[in-house]
Amino acid sequence: TKEAEAGNFHAQFKLGTMHYEGDQVKLDKALAAYWFMQAAQAGLDEAQYQISRMLFQGDGVEADAAYALRFLQAAAEKGHPESMHNLGVKLYFGEGMDSDRRAAASWFLKAAEQDLPAAQNNIGWMLYCGEGVPMNTQAGVSWLEKAADRGNEEAQYH
């Protein structure tokens, strides 16, 4: 706690995680959000991802999609795979922004290249169907196979 209070963003993130999960401390999502926010504002991408998720869902905090999106974009731009994938989903479906399938494909590809199976599945289908990107069935199948090999159930089904 002392390190977190002194501004160590890794300690802030760890303390936030402990409070979020009730690990060795009382489960307190509002306090978890406080510590995640401290670390997120200091620039820690994993904290930016976690606070964005909490803000989107209203999990321990009041839901605020616009504020959540700012943190999600910041983490995605730093190369955080889950953030890149989630930003791709938001762009694909137009959640909180205009739908932009080309931009969604770009974020899915970046996350897929970091071995995130859900992103591999999504970019695979977009390439296979030519949705938001030029159709390339061979590349699409390749990404779908990678996703399936890594346990993505949707890719395994197809």
Side-chain angles (χ1 to χ4, degrees), residues 16-132:
T17 302
M18 290 171 67
H19 282 286
Y20 189 83
E21 297 173 353
D23 179 18
Q24 302 176 35
V25 296
K26 181 182 173 195
L27 189 141
D28 185 339
K29 291 189 176 182
L31 191 54
Y34 170 80
W35 288 114
F36 286 146
M37 182 63 75
Q38 298 305 305
Q41 289 175 336
L44 185 63
D45 61 350
E46 182 66 23
Q48 291 169 332
Y49 168 71
Q50 291 296 341
I51 197 63
S52 76
R53 192 187 52 70
M54 292 178 79
L55 285 163
F56 276 122
Q57 297 174 1
D59 185 16
V61 294
E62 186 175 330
D64 186 337
Y67 197 37
L69 190 57
R70 288 177 33 202
F71 285 108
L72 184 63
Q73 287 176 313
E77 289 168 4
K78 289 183 178 137
H80 185 265
E82 290 85 358
S83 297
M84 291 187 289
H85 175 260
N86 287 3
L87 184 55
V89 170
K90 300 288 182 199
L91 285 159
Y92 185 91
F93 291 107
E95 296 175 10
M97 62 184 69
D98 292 335
S99 177
D100 184 342
R101 301 256 163 116
R102 171 163 274 155
S106 175
W107 285 113
F108 288 148
L109 180 60
K110 289 175 185 180
E113 288 170 341
Q114 292 192 32
D115 291 326
L116 190 68
Q120 292 170 334
N121 177 68
N122 292 347
I123 191 61
W125 275 111
M126 291 182 81
L127 285 163
Y128 188 83
C129 299
E131 191 171 350

